[in-house]
Amino acid sequence: MYEWILPSLKEVLSGSQSHIAECSTAKAEQQWRVSLAATENLLLKTLATTSFDTTQGLVLAAPAPLFSHPKLTQQLQTVTFTARPFNPLALMPFMMPSEMAQNINNIESIAEINHHHPTFQESILPLLPADPLGSEQFCLVFTDKFRLVLVLAEHQNGKKEFLFSFEPEVVQKAWQSLGARVVLTNPELFADLDIKVQNYPLVAPDYHTIIQFSQLLLQELTVTENNPVTHTASYCHSPTPPPKSPSRSDVELLQAFAHEVRTPLTTIRMMTRLLLKRQDLPVNVISRLEVIDHECTEQIDRMELLFKAAELENLSQPSKFANSQLTPMCLDQVLQQSIPRWQQAANRRNLTLNVVLPKQLPTVVSNPAMLDRVLTGLIENFTRSLPPGSSIQVQVIPAGDQLKLQLSPQFDCQDKGYTTTPPIRKSLGQLLMFQPETGAISLNMAATKHLFQAIGGKLIVRQRPQNGEVLTIFLPLEVSHQV
């Protein structure tokens, strides 16, 4: 017997598995987090060779969108199920002018938004208040190479349970359970969504895909103190001493903070992009919505970086985490995507950014999924520490078997005796710092250095009286590019 008139996804998956290992709520939540991270990495690998302009998959999730990597938001259609009532005006972070309110007042329901945008690129569908599915977090992924369902369910006693399956028949049953709910709440949308689901083959995934997912899952799992593993790649620097281990409460608080901030921001961004698809918005409204979208994306990336830093602090052997995810990568492609964002960050604070690159950038060894975020986060923090009117020089030069990327400020001052005052930074626990002048919260230098170590690099910070704070990042070159 089901708890409700339709089975929850927990009930669908439980019925298909002969044995379920019991574990604590904390362990179930950890399994959910690492499985989502492994799924995101699997999607990035399996969709990496396809065109960004073509939709390559469908994701059904609750209670908020789960993947925010730019490649995935471009290549995946996303449908979010939520039991919460939808109010577009409540999502906006500032008071809007009357003309914007008039445009948004026309949106009276989720069905109307989806009517304007039947493509389901980013859509929200409601769940009935009595539906027990409203207390579950889930993710159904449909691609040409595999189908996958992940579920974090909460029992009536408050205990949580994590389940997942690659079996095509199980994923199909999970979709049928969701599809029946769409028929109840938005019957006019069911046929279109069902066609999109059926576009992806109902076949068992290749065993290579399962092996790849298992490897990614193991990479994301924390290493216990009782099982240290020593493993150092030949191209890595000698590991720098890790920062003083923060308390478990510090790490858990930071993870919870990052998750709680990221979730509503992701929802705001999704609704903003839905509104931007409308053809009847005036130009000034579009520009404001684009600002909202940019700010949400920037803060979501910051929260993901904080979450990753906290996750890293749980590892007893960060070098194992690093070496398992390092791969040769083209730095030129990363910089082509990153430099415009760095320029925007500098312009917003009335700073000038000068980038000096060699004619040809060599291949470096790092973590492609994290390098851009870590560099962008570092430059964001760097720009906050400089007075308006300053300049920043970003210089990239080969340095033996490494590539050196240096950030140095340049002040508009002719006085040779001029000295700079380091920015005031106050500690918040053992992972974060606070700048009273700007109100900014960011990772402290010890945690930031730890992150660079995890992606195969090294960060050196020097304070020079006349030049201010100079940051130097070293990344190892691929062996074939070493001199």
Side-chain angles (χ1 to χ4, degrees), residues 19-67:
H19 175 72
I20 300 174
E22 293 189 5
C23 63
S24 66
T25 292
K27 189 66 175 178
E29 290 176 339
Q30 182 197 39
Q31 292 170 348
W32 163 256
R33 290 194 301 269
V34 299
S35 296
L36 280 180
T39 302
E40 182 175 54
N41 286 328
L42 180 64
L43 287 168
L44 288 170
K45 289 178 180 295
T46 56
L47 304 180
T49 58
T50 59
S51 170
F52 291 166
D53 298 330
T54 306
T55 299
Q56 299 295 332
L58 173 68
V59 175
L60 312 180
L66 299 171
F67 306 124

Side-chain angles (χ1 to χ4, degrees), residues 34-285:
V34 299
S35 296
L36 280 180
T39 302
E40 182 175 54
N41 286 328
L42 180 64
L43 287 168
L44 288 170
K45 289 178 180 295
T46 56
L47 304 180
T49 58
T50 59
S51 170
F52 291 166
D53 298 330
T54 306
T55 299
Q56 299 295 332
L58 173 68
V59 175
L60 312 180
L66 299 171
F67 306 124
S68 60
H69 193 285
K71 290 182 182 179
L72 299 186
T73 57
Q74 292 173 17
Q75 293 181 274
L76 299 175
Q77 294 176 304
T78 302
V79 180
T80 304
F81 290 79
T82 178
R84 299 176 181 177
F86 170 65
N87 179 2
L89 291 176
L91 291 175
M92 300 303 163
F94 56 85
M95 185 64 68
M96 293 172 291
S98 58
E99 69 268 21
M100 190 170 191
Q102 289 173 1
N103 279 284
I104 297 180
N105 281 340
N106 296 326
I107 305 174
E108 297 179 352
S109 67
I110 297 168
E112 183 172 347
I113 288 183
N114 292 333
H115 174 71
H116 283 285
H117 312 287
T119 60
F120 285 99
Q121 190 66 31
E122 284 182 321
S123 302
I124 292 181
L125 294 178
L127 295 171
L128 296 175
D131 192 343
L133 196 63
S135 63
E136 294 185 356
Q137 298 180 63
F138 61 82
C139 176
L140 277 73
V141 178
F142 300 88
T143 72
D144 288 334
K145 295 185 177 180
F146 67 90
R147 291 182 170 201
L148 171 64
V149 55
L150 309 168
V151 180
L152 179 65
E154 184 173 349
H155 296 273
Q156 292 181 350
N157 60 6
K159 187 176 181 180
K160 293 186 178 181
E161 178 182 11
F162 172 71
L163 302 161
F164 78 97
S165 178
F166 274 96
E167 295 182 37
E169 295 77 11
V170 175
V171 181
Q172 184 67 14
K173 288 179 181 178
W175 155 240
Q176 290 170 350
S177 178
L178 282 178
R181 288 165 165 87
V182 177
V183 172
L184 284 176
T185 58
N186 291 84
E188 71 281 5
L189 301 176
F190 171 75
D192 188 22
L193 186 54
D194 187 54
I195 290 173
K196 294 184 181 301
V197 170
Q198 304 313 323
N199 282 339
Y200 301 100
L202 187 66
V203 295
D206 186 275
Y207 76 95
H208 289 104
T209 301
I210 305 298
I211 292 174
Q212 197 171 33
F213 179 78
S214 301
Q215 292 172 337
L216 293 168
L217 197 62
L218 289 172
Q219 290 174 9
E220 295 294 339
L221 285 171
T222 57
V223 181
T224 64
E225 294 291 341
N226 295 330
N227 294 291
V229 179
T230 302
H231 178 74
T232 304
S234 59
Y235 50 73
C236 285
H237 296 282
S238 298
T240 56
K244 182 181 177 181
S245 179
S247 66
R248 184 173 179 81
S249 60
D250 259 8
V251 173
E252 291 177 347
L253 179 61
L254 181 55
Q255 287 180 320
F257 168 76
H259 175 75
E260 289 301 314
V261 173
R262 178 185 178 275
T263 299
L265 286 176
T266 304
T267 303
I268 293 170
R269 184 179 65 176
M270 182 178 63
M271 297 311 305
T272 300
R273 291 179 178 178
L274 279 175
L275 291 171
L276 282 169
K277 292 177 182 178
R278 298 189 60 164
Q279 303 298 316
D280 57 345
L281 296 178
V283 175
N284 62 333
V285 173

